[in-house]
Amino acid sequence: MTISLATLTITDKHHNHLAFSAFENYVADSNESVKFKLVTCSDDLEEDFQENDTSNTKANHNHSDKKSVTRIESFKPEMSYQFFGQNENIFGYKNLCIKLYYSCARLNIYLGKTYSIMLTKEKTGDIEIDEPLKKISNLYETKVTNNLTEFCSNLSKEKSFVPYGESVQEFSIDYPKDGEQVQKRYFQLFKADNSIPGFTAYHERMQTFLMWYIEAASYIDIDDERWDFFVLYEKLPLNPTTNTESMPIEFQYCFVGYCTIYRYYSYPCNIRPCISQFLILPPFQRIGLGTNMLKSIYSHYNVKSTTDIRVEDPSENFQKMRDILDCTLCQNLSNFSPEKLSSGWSKEMAQEAQEKYKISSRQARRVYEILRLKSVNRKNANEYRSYRLAIKQRLNAPYQKQIKDLERVKPKVPKSEYSALMETNIIPRETRIHALANQYDLIEADYLNVIEKLG
Ligand SMILES: CC(C)(COP(=O)(O)OP(=O)(O)OC[C@H]1O[C@@H](n2cnc3c(N)ncnc32)[C@H](O)[C@@H]1OP(=O)(O)O)[C@@H](O)C(=O)NCCC(=O)NCCS
């Protein structure tokens, strides 16, 4: 009988208890063990060649090459259950480090591991050792090399990489946002689709990041011509420069993140773009790049034939970012003036947000609620009560509809059946009021976070 760690912890816990506790120091947290790196040039790999990585020999570096003056810090995944199961752990190693290195522009992938001790089946009896590299490459639908020398030898081609598709936006940011030695960093957004030669294979490499950062992420079928892709790059200077005010003359591209959008059909001859996947890699997060990419996407689709832009299943952090951007945009619209906001939600608000920025009506309503809270004087009891009531009415609307539906069926069903329906569908008043108050508190806390960012 062979037993994997997963079955050991679930079905064979008691039988193998002793064996398991003897090996508990060999269970690694997979989120901590995986190390990502965006590699700009061979110098980034010096440490790796020095380490005792048995699968590799030292590469023949070409030191005369122009090299990026920027190093991208390594980073960790946010989740890894799609690879290593719900427990997110890897059995069989001490001091395990799984290296997932991507060349920064072409996204060629190196996958390797180092460890100080590895158990063997002879040592563990029947307990199987995990094979983390296999688990990863099985889910990667693209070529991965386990040979660091081979990976390194291709790095000289990174400088000549030109992104796929057309450039849609260039912008710069001040970095750090509030530090003393502020520098400008330059970025460029490209739009591509599956008709561009080579892009399908590139997309296969980009999407390997998804399962590490997006809950329940899955790969998409990009054969469908209705997919649009926006890919964001940083332009990394190739020469040290003291003049950070102007764009670097010599630079190489470094992948920052990307977004996939599906153009749904909307009657009669319009489109309804839907943001499906949106990712900014950790070394580039919280410096305004997601906001910039989203704003550029809004501008790109701000044409007559677009009905509105929707987002498929937004993550909590994406929703925060989107709320801040949408409120910033809408707070200058005439229908979102404090007077109009205090009169309640209106069709005109939805219309104006859609016409000006293609914001969907559902999101426009959220923007209204946030901006109205911003203009409410919470020290004024009446004003504040009236706001809370408006939100609770919206929250309670589905329940009210359910009651109306039940009343409608009353004459059509036997009395006993109707009583059973009432019993299962009607929530006691006290419980409902309590639940509404809790829901309101959560919403208000979210909204106040956004308001704080609006200044
Ligand atoms: C969500 C995500 C796209 C945000 O990108 P980003 O470039 O970091 O966002 P920005 O820097 O433009 O953030 C703007 C604001 O949004 C809010 N925000 C963004 N990420 C946040 C986070 N992780 N936690 C809390 N607030 C966050 C903040 O208020 C932030 O402003 P601040 O940094 O001044 O506080 C990025 O974190 C990401 O790709 N995450 C993993 C994948 C994911 O969740 N994708 C969305 C699936 S739909």
Side-chain angles (χ1 to χ4, degrees), residues 78 177 213-214 276-281 284-292 311-315 317-318 320-321 324 453:
E78 263 172 40
K177 272 194 270 190
Y213 293 101
I214 298 183
S276 174
Q277 296 149 328
F278 193 107
L279 174 69
I280 299 290
L281 289 179
F284 304 95
Q285 287 176 5
R286 305 299 292 269
I287 52 172
L289 299 179
T291 305
N292 267 297
V311 183
E312 183 188 315
D313 204 7
S315 70
N317 292 334
F318 180 92
K320 275 185 203 161
M321 180 185 79
I324 298 167
K453 293 282 164 188

Side-chain angles (χ1 to χ4, degrees), residues 373 439-452:
L373 180 62
Q439 254 180 302
Y440 174 84
D441 287 346
L442 292 175
I443 287 175
E444 190 189 90
D446 272 357
Y447 288 179
L448 289 175
N449 274 333
V450 177
I451 290 166
E452 201 184 292

Side-chain angles (χ1 to χ4, degrees), residues 22-28 33 90-97 114-119:
F23 298 127
E24 64 192 350
N25 291 336
Y26 292 84
V27 181
S33 304
I90 300 165
F91 176 64
Y93 308 84
K94 249 189 194 169
N95 300 318
L96 176 66
C97 176
T114 57
Y115 48 82
S116 55
I117 306 175
M118 180 176 87
L119 291 173

Side-chain angles (χ1 to χ4, degrees), residues 165-388:
E166 48 163 338
S167 169
V168 288
Q169 184 93 49
E170 288 199 58
F171 60 87
S172 65
I173 60 160
D174 288 336
Y175 180 84
K177 272 194 270 190
D178 41 18
E180 271 175 16
Q181 279 189 313
V182 177
Q183 291 209 328
K184 283 224 177 311
R185 289 172 64 176
Y186 295 87
F187 297 86
Q188 194 168 5
L189 184 67
F190 287 80
K191 177 177 172 278
D193 58 53
N194 68 0
S195 69
I196 298 167
F199 183 71
T200 302
Y202 192 74
H203 173 259
E204 277 167 9
R205 301 199 286 280
M206 285 196 301
Q207 70 174 354
T208 54
F209 285 116
L210 294 181
M211 290 183 184
W212 305 99
Y213 293 101
I214 298 183
E215 207 65 61
S218 57
Y219 295 151
I220 58 171
D221 169 19
I222 87 157
D223 288 345
D224 191 328
E225 59 171 29
R226 285 186 160 267
W227 283 110
D228 286 340
F229 302 86
F230 291 83
V231 190
L232 184 63
Y233 296 90
E234 177 161 10
K235 290 174 155 186
L236 300 179
L238 285 173
N239 292 314
T241 170
T242 43
N243 179 10
T244 61
E245 284 305 309
S246 59
M247 191 108 80
I249 298 165
E250 285 191 289
F251 62 86
Q252 73 177 115
Y253 286 105
C254 177
F255 176 82
V256 167
Y258 80 110
C259 173
T260 58
I261 296 193
Y262 193 80
R263 280 174 282 112
Y264 281 98
Y265 163 76
S266 170
Y267 181 81
C269 49
N270 296 326
I271 57 158
R272 188 166 241 184
C274 179
I275 296 177
S276 174
Q277 296 149 328
F278 193 107
L279 174 69
I280 299 290
L281 289 179
F284 304 95
Q285 287 176 5
R286 305 299 292 269
I287 52 172
L289 299 179
T291 305
N292 267 297
M293 181 153 85
L294 187 59
K295 217 195 276 180
S296 304
I297 288 168
Y298 282 1
S299 302
H300 181 82
Y301 291 106
N302 203 340
V303 289
K304 216 166 160 229
S305 59
T306 302
T307 314
D308 57 5
I309 301 170
R310 289 178 301 157
V311 183
E312 183 188 315
D313 204 7
S315 70
E316 209 176 296
N317 292 334
F318 180 92
Q319 188 60 45
K320 275 185 203 161
M321 180 185 79
R322 178 194 194 191
D323 286 342
I324 298 167
L325 175 61
D326 293 354
C327 288
T328 308
L329 295 171
C330 289
Q331 66 185 350
N332 299 319
L333 299 181
S334 58
N335 280 294
F336 290 81
S337 66
E339 304 75 53
K340 297 259 172 76
L341 289 166
S342 63
S343 315
W345 167 244
S346 71
K347 256 199 340 256
E348 289 72 25
M349 288 176 182
Q351 261 163 11
E352 196 178 12
Q354 187 179 348
E355 269 166 33
K356 292 273 164 52
Y357 301 114
K358 304 295 176 186
I359 292 173
S360 68
S361 105
R362 191 176 170 166
Q363 174 66 6
R365 168 126 199 182
R366 195 173 156 89
V367 168
Y368 144 76
E369 290 183 355
I370 297 170
L371 291 179
R372 182 167 168 192
L373 180 62
K374 182 172 178 254
S375 68
V376 160
N377 176 3
R378 280 182 288 141
K379 288 191 182 122
N380 178 326
N382 283 340
E383 217 179 297
Y384 191 25
R385 190 179 312 112
S386 138
Y387 177 77
R388 290 200 308 269

